[in-house]
Amino acid sequence: MSKAAAQAKKAEGNTFFKAKNYREAIAKYTEAIAIDPNDVTFYSNRSACNAALENWEQAAEDGRQCIVTDKNFVKGYFRYALGLQNMGNLDGASEAVKRGLGIDSGNPDLKRMSRELDEAIRMKKVDSAIEAAESQLKAGDATGAYKTVDNALRLDPQNDTLKRLMDKVKPKYEAAEKKRVSQLDPNERLKESGDNLFKSADFEGAIKTYSNCLDKIRDKGSDLALKCYANRAACYKQLSNFEGTIGDCTNVLEYRPDDTKALIRRAQAYEACERYKSALQDVRQVLGLGMEVCGKQTYDLANGMQHRLNRVIQQLK
């Protein structure tokens, strides 16, 4: 049968669709697809019918098929995302929307859905945090509950449930924290003082405190010493003291040669010092560890750096 016959089936389907006879429309679009499976509009229209019937799994599948048939068909990303959104797969829907906006950044439907999904994901995180904090409290984990609530309040500062939880958990957390700190040895307390200075953006004060702590630690390969080196490297980086960053990262890597955070931080410092080949060597080591070891975010960062460094090195030849 010809493409004209497929278009005729589509026209019949459109008539049913306009009359809100969605099941009959689906049957006609399905007949059209059987004749010509390469016309993206057949899948798109059938997806719209399934959405009207709240058959979200089928709506998502037809949206996905739109993308398979024509990756530049922007409406397919919307159809796919709409189905996923209503199935509760917010992350998948958000990813589909981002892919669609990559093709048409100004598409109003995708932009609107992007805002809706961002808000829904935010609220889902808040709800999950409330549930997790309540469980942590029941288990007696005041520190974990406090951190969970504190992070959630950054997402939704006016949430009354979170405020009530914070009022409940904060005294318990402060008591537990006071007890914990009292049990630390002097060097550990000194390191934590450096951490607090770092969090308050007093990087010079933090450097002095970490240095003081390191002076008191005999075993420079101990876990505490390596944490001080790593944190001091982060302070140096914040102050654009890249030689200091390189030195402290190297101290960490002497004992932990596959420490991805130290490798990436040193590579960034090498790049800032225009030591591009050294930076590339560290980046390649991170990539060689694989995504499962270093995590997607670090792997993607290293991959982007590798491409950039290769270009710079080629230009300098």
Side-chain angles (χ1 to χ4, degrees):
M1 298 177 72
S2 66
K3 288 190 175 183
Q7 291 297 326
K9 295 294 183 183
K10 175 188 174 182
E12 291 181 53
N14 290 347
T15 300
F16 283 124
F17 182 86
K18 291 174 184 176
K20 298 185 178 181
N21 294 326
Y22 301 119
R23 288 184 174 80
E24 290 83 351
I26 287 172
K28 292 302 177 182
Y29 295 137
T30 302
E31 291 179 30
I33 290 168
I35 298 169
D36 181 8
N38 297 315
D39 190 319
V40 70
T41 65
F42 301 163
Y43 299 104
S44 179
N45 291 4
R46 191 169 68 176
S47 178
C49 292
N50 277 309
L53 294 170
E54 298 187 358
N55 296 331
W56 298 115
E57 187 173 351
Q58 294 91 328
E61 176 55 28
D62 276 337
R64 189 191 69 82
Q65 194 59 50
C66 287
I67 299 168
V68 171
T69 305
D70 181 358
K71 66 180 181 180
N72 294 315
F73 184 70
V74 175
K75 189 176 287 186
Y77 295 94
F78 175 80
R79 301 281 193 218
Y80 184 38
L82 183 64
L84 292 175
Q85 179 186 24
N86 283 279
M87 290 166 64
N89 186 352
L90 301 180
D91 291 334
S94 180
E95 180 62 27
V97 167
K98 288 176 184 176
R99 290 171 61 196
L101 287 171
I103 297 168
D104 181 5
S105 60
N107 186 278
D109 290 332
L110 289 175
K111 289 173 71 175
R112 173 183 54 78
M113 182 175 281
S114 179
R115 291 191 296 270
E116 290 177 358
L117 287 167
D118 285 346
E119 177 63 13
I121 290 170
R122 183 179 72 88
M123 294 311 301
K124 184 178 179 180
K125 288 179 179 178
V126 169
D127 291 341
S128 296
I130 290 171
E131 184 178 347
E134 289 174 341
S135 296
Q136 287 167 323
L137 268 177
K138 288 180 181 178
D141 182 7
T143 299
Y146 175 83
K147 291 179 179 178
T148 299
V149 174
D150 187 51
N151 288 332
L153 279 168
R154 296 173 192 174
L155 295 173
D156 192 0
Q158 303 305 318
N159 188 288
D160 290 336
T161 303
L162 286 173
K163 288 180 179 179
R164 286 194 298 272
L165 273 171
M166 180 56 82
D167 290 341
K168 185 177 181 180
V169 74
K170 189 173 183 180
K172 296 180 180 181
Y173 164 74
E174 290 176 343
E177 187 66 5
K178 184 177 180 180
K179 181 179 179 181
R180 184 189 67 82
V181 172
S182 70
Q183 295 173 343
L184 296 175
D185 72 33
N187 290 341
E188 289 174 329
R189 282 200 294 271
L190 195 56
K191 182 259 181 188
E192 289 216 355
S193 296
D195 294 346
N196 292 331
L197 290 168
F198 180 87
K199 290 173 185 175
S200 63
D202 182 359
F203 303 118
E204 291 181 350
I207 287 171
K208 290 179 182 177
T209 304
Y210 290 134
S211 298
N212 189 13
C213 185
L214 283 165
D215 288 342
K216 297 177 184 298
I217 299 173
R218 291 185 179 180
D219 182 4
K220 303 305 182 186
S222 67
D223 186 61
L224 184 61
L226 296 180
K227 286 179 180 178
C228 286
Y229 281 128
N231 292 0
R232 192 172 67 175
C235 292
Y236 282 137
K237 184 170 179 284
Q238 289 290 334
L239 296 174
S240 298
N241 181 345
F242 298 115
E243 290 298 339
T245 305
I246 291 167
D248 275 351
C249 288
T250 300
N251 287 330
V252 173
L253 292 165
E254 181 180 347
Y255 296 95
R256 295 177 181 170
D258 289 336
D259 188 303
T260 56
K261 188 176 290 186
L263 285 166
I264 285 289
R265 190 172 284 149
R266 189 172 70 172
Q268 291 170 328
Y270 276 142
E271 184 178 13
C273 295
E274 299 183 0
R275 295 163 66 179
Y276 302 119
K277 290 184 179 179
S278 295
L280 184 59
Q281 183 176 344
D282 280 352
V283 164
R284 284 176 172 168
Q285 185 174 338
V286 172
L287 293 172
L289 295 171
M291 190 181 296
E292 289 186 2
V293 173
C294 60
K296 185 178 186 304
Q297 184 175 359
T298 299
Y299 189 88
D300 289 345
L301 174 61
N303 196 36
M305 288 183 69
Q306 177 179 236
H307 289 303
R308 183 172 66 249
L309 289 165
N310 277 326
R311 287 196 300 269
V312 172
I313 291 168
Q314 287 298 320
Q315 290 168 0
L316 292 175
K317 284 185 176 179

